[in-house]
Every structure is written in C-alpha cells, then in structure tokens.
Amino acid sequence: MPGWTRSVRFRLALVYSVAVFVAGGLITGLVYWGVRRSVEGEPVTRELVITSLTPTQRGLSVQQRTLMTEFVSLEQLVNQRTLDRLQALSLWSLAGLFPLSLLIGWVVSGRALRPIDRIGAVAREIQATDLSRRIELDGPADELRALADTFDDMLDRIEAGVEEQRRFIEDTSHELRNPLAVMATNLDVALADPEADAGSLRRAAEVVRRTVDRTSQRVDELVMYARRDVPAEERAPVELRALVGEVLDEYAGAAAARSLSLEQMGAATTVAAGRDSLKAALGNLVDNAVRLSPVGSAVVAGCGTVGEWAWLGVRDEGPGIAPEYHEAVFRRSWRGSGEPGTAGLGLAIVRQVAEAHGGTVTLTSAEGAGSSFVIWVPTVEAAPVDEVASGVRPVADPLA
C-alpha cells in the first residue's frame, strides 16, 4: 500500500467514512423497514361503490354496484413496485455515500490535524543554536491549543536550560583560565631572568604547585556548583593572614605584569573554616581586582575580626559597580551592566562559600570609586548575620 495510506490523516478519514456510512446505512434500513411495515398492513381500499345513472321514461334511474376486493391485488402490485424502487434508490445512495463520506472525512481530518502539522513544522525548524521559535497557536482553548501551549512552555524551559549551560561553559572556561594565567605568568617571570637562582625558581615552582592544587579544587567546586550543591569540607583552624599572603604570592606575577602593587593589611586571625574553599573565594576576589584595576594602582587584601565575626577581603581601584547592581553581581551567571569582568561564576562562588560557613559577603562600591568585597565568617556558632550585614549593605567596610 502507498505510504499516504499509513498516515494518521488517512486512518482518521477512513474511520469518519465508515462511521458515516454505517450511520447512513442504519438510517436507510430503518426508513425502508418502516415503509415496508406500513404498506404490508391492511389494504387502503376496502370497497369501491360505482354509481351509474340510466335515463328512463320516468327520469333518471340510479344504480349502485359495490366492488369489495377487486382492487386489492392492484394495490399490492403498486406497493411492491414502490418498495423495489425505494430499495434500489437506497442501495445507490449508499454506494455513493461511501466515497463522499471518505472525501468529507479526508477534508475534516486534515482541518483537525492542521494544528498538529504546525507543531511538527515548528519542531523541525528549531535548531539547537536557535530555540526562540514558538508555535503560538491561535483558536479556541481546546486540547490542541493546550498541547501547543505545553510545547511552548517546554521550549521556554529548554531554551533557559541551554542558555544557562552555555553561560556555565563560558564561566567555567573563565574560572579555569585564571589559574592557568597565574601559572604561565610565574613561569614566564622565572624563565625571563637568566640570572635567577635556585631559590627564585623554587618559589616560582611552589606558586605553580599551589595553583595546580587550587585549580583541581576549582574543578571540583565547579562540578558541585553545576549541581547546585555546596561543597562539603571539614572545618579546621585557618590562619587568615597566612592565607591572604599565600593568595597574594600567587598573583604577584600577574600584578607585576600590569604594574600593580599588592598590599596586605590586618592582624593575625584564626577561624574554624574550610581552608581550600576560603582560599578559592579570596582568589576569585584578588583575580577580579588584578584584572580590573587600572595600571599602576594598588590592590589591598586583608583580614581581621569585628566582634564575633572574622573577615577577609579585597579592595581595588577599578571601575566600581553601580549601586543597582550590588545584589545582582552575586547571582549565578549574571549578565547585567555589560562591563568587562562582571560576568562569571567567581562572585557567585564567593557568596556560596560565605553562606556555607554561616556567613555572608558584603560589597562597598560606587561607579568610578573602586570596589571592596569582604567575606564574613562567624567565629562562634549561630552568630547573627544581621549584625554584620543585611544582604550586601555592610555596617562598615573594614578595608576602608
């Protein structure tokens, strides 16, 4: 059989045709049966009275003759011929009804399936790189409209997921490019000095080794962040001043390449926390500051305590962030102001690390006035976060 006979439209047309044909056959049969029952009853003519007038000498003579059954056989013959003609017409009508019902079923099924054809056409036109097409089916709020709307909603979710995946890939490459740049810069500095002694080369190798470890940790964090899980890490005493100095050493080469001065402030502070995650968060802040600060400016990193809270943060002299973006910059894969360096997972990871320790991260910044990011970690259990910050509005900037 040809391929078009296996289509849903043909099957629907066939079903419609059979249904109409059967219904027409039943109606015709019932009409024929009713007519036959009516003509097979008592004869219409029971008797026939013939009256004749005959002239006589006295006037007209009236004579009547009654015929009782002479016309019964004639009525039966007429009735039979009528039934035969009705039967023939009924059969011819049914014979013509089947192809007509098939044609009508084909047209009706085509109109009924037209929205589905449109859904299929849009689905075929959608590409992985362009998910903006939508069906937007008009018409009454029937089942097909509900199907099209459901399909549009599904496309919205798919487009959002694909866009988020694309941004995550971009942000992942950004996050991995930074430690690679640190390693490359330190190696270039060491190799560029022909008189470098073993001590200088060893320090460069140590920085590269620490950066490799941090990169491995960063990859694990990105995988966990993709699953929206908070990296689980054992808490241990962490000396924040040493941690800050270690991060600044790693970015010394990148800062020297842009003539930036890295400064450290604050006193020795120890807090129970996850060292690797705090280092990764602080590294993100230092990396942003080194990339965005103007050539020849200073980047300050420090740590300390305020009441029951320990803090570590970074201040730069970069372009700053407008107040309306202070909350948005910490969102996952945020694309808001359009300024270079504002996109990525770095600040989102910083906030996630701070909140995983029961703390928060604050931002003090204005356009053209640089930025100060501070991570707050409680030194005691259940310290009230509101005492330090509400959202991104700090009580005071310890780096100021």
Side-chain angles (χ1 to χ4, degrees):
M1 297 180 65
W4 59 271
T5 60
R6 294 190 294 271
S7 64
V8 175
R9 182 176 182 180
F10 177 78
R11 293 200 297 269
L12 285 176
L14 189 61
V15 170
Y16 293 157
S17 178
V18 170
V20 172
F21 182 77
V22 171
L26 290 176
I27 293 174
T28 303
L30 289 175
V31 171
Y32 179 80
W33 178 77
V35 173
R36 188 179 185 87
R37 286 292 303 271
S38 65
V39 301
E40 285 183 347
E42 294 294 331
V44 176
T45 303
R46 293 181 176 271
E47 62 180 20
L48 179 62
V49 178
I50 300 176
T51 303
S52 60
L53 299 177
T54 304
T56 62
Q57 295 179 352
R58 297 181 180 180
L60 295 176
S61 174
V62 179
Q63 296 180 355
Q64 293 182 345
R65 187 176 60 177
T66 302
L67 303 178
M68 299 298 295
T69 60
E70 284 80 354
F71 286 91
V72 173
S73 59
L74 178 59
E75 289 182 4
Q76 291 177 348
L77 178 60
V78 172
N79 292 341
Q80 186 60 44
R81 287 188 176 184
T82 302
L83 291 175
D84 293 341
R85 181 61 60 86
L86 178 62
Q87 183 180 17
L89 291 176
S90 299
L91 292 177
W92 281 108
S93 298
L94 290 176
L97 178 63
F98 184 76
L100 180 61
S101 62
L102 189 61
L103 177 61
I104 295 175
W106 181 264
V107 174
V108 172
S109 61
R111 293 182 61 86
L113 295 176
R114 188 176 301 169
I116 298 180
D117 292 338
R118 180 176 175 182
I119 295 174
V122 173
R124 286 189 297 270
E125 293 174 2
I126 291 175
Q127 303 293 329
T129 56
D130 183 15
L131 296 173
S132 60
R133 287 293 309 276
R134 295 295 183 270
I135 299 173
E136 297 179 349
L137 187 65
D138 298 328
D142 54 6
E143 292 81 0
L144 293 178
R145 173 75 175 275
L147 175 63
D149 292 343
T150 302
F151 194 82
D152 286 341
D153 294 339
M154 182 185 68
L155 287 176
D156 290 338
R157 294 191 297 271
I158 293 176
E159 184 180 18
V162 171
E163 180 65 18
E164 184 175 359
Q165 184 183 47
R166 183 185 64 80
R167 290 180 177 178
F168 181 77
I169 292 174
E170 293 177 356
D171 297 335
T172 300
S173 63
H174 165 74
E175 294 298 328
L176 296 180
R177 190 183 299 115
N178 294 336
L180 292 176
V182 170
M183 289 186 284
T185 302
N186 282 275
L187 291 176
D188 290 341
V189 171
L191 295 175
D193 186 4
E195 299 180 357
D197 55 8
S200 299
L201 295 177
R202 182 176 182 82
R203 284 192 296 272
E206 290 175 350
V207 171
V208 172
R209 176 71 259 183
R210 291 197 299 266
T211 306
V212 169
D213 294 338
R214 186 164 60 88
T215 303
S216 300
Q217 179 69 21
R218 184 70 58 83
V219 171
D220 294 337
E221 291 176 356
L222 289 172
V223 173
M224 293 181 182
Y225 195 86
R227 300 172 181 171
R228 289 178 169 81
D229 294 334
V230 177
E233 191 175 10
E234 292 184 2
R235 305 292 174 87
V238 179
E239 213 293 297
L240 297 182
R241 183 173 178 81
L243 182 67
V244 172
E246 192 174 302
V247 173
L248 292 180
D249 287 342
E250 293 180 2
Y251 284 90
R258 304 190 68 244
S259 301
L260 300 176
S261 63
L262 298 181
E263 303 176 5
Q264 184 173 357
M265 63 172 290
T269 303
T270 302
V271 65
R275 192 178 194 281
D276 292 336
S277 60
L278 281 183
K279 184 177 180 181
L282 184 63
N284 284 336
L285 297 179
V286 174
D287 177 77
N288 289 339
V290 171
R291 285 189 299 107
L292 299 177
S293 295
V295 176
S297 62
V299 174
V300 180
C303 61
T305 57
V306 176
E308 298 178 342
W309 290 85
W311 63 269
L312 69 161
V314 179
R315 187 181 75 243
D316 61 63
E317 300 176 11
I321 301 173
E324 60 266 25
Y325 296 121
H326 282 194
E327 179 67 26
V329 294
F330 295 101
R331 294 175 186 167
R332 179 188 179 99
S333 300
W334 175 73
R335 297 288 193 282
S337 64
E339 300 174 355
T342 59
L345 289 172
L347 295 179
I349 291 177
V350 171
R351 166 172 270 185
Q352 189 177 25
V353 170
E355 292 178 350
H357 286 82
T360 187
V361 57
T362 61
L363 167 61
T364 303
S365 180
E367 284 188 292
S371 302
S372 178
F373 291 89
V374 179
I375 300 171
W376 298 87
V377 180
T379 57
V380 296
E381 294 185 1
V385 177
D386 290 339
E387 290 185 4
V388 174
S390 175
V392 293
R393 296 181 295 277
V395 174
D397 180 14
L399 289 169

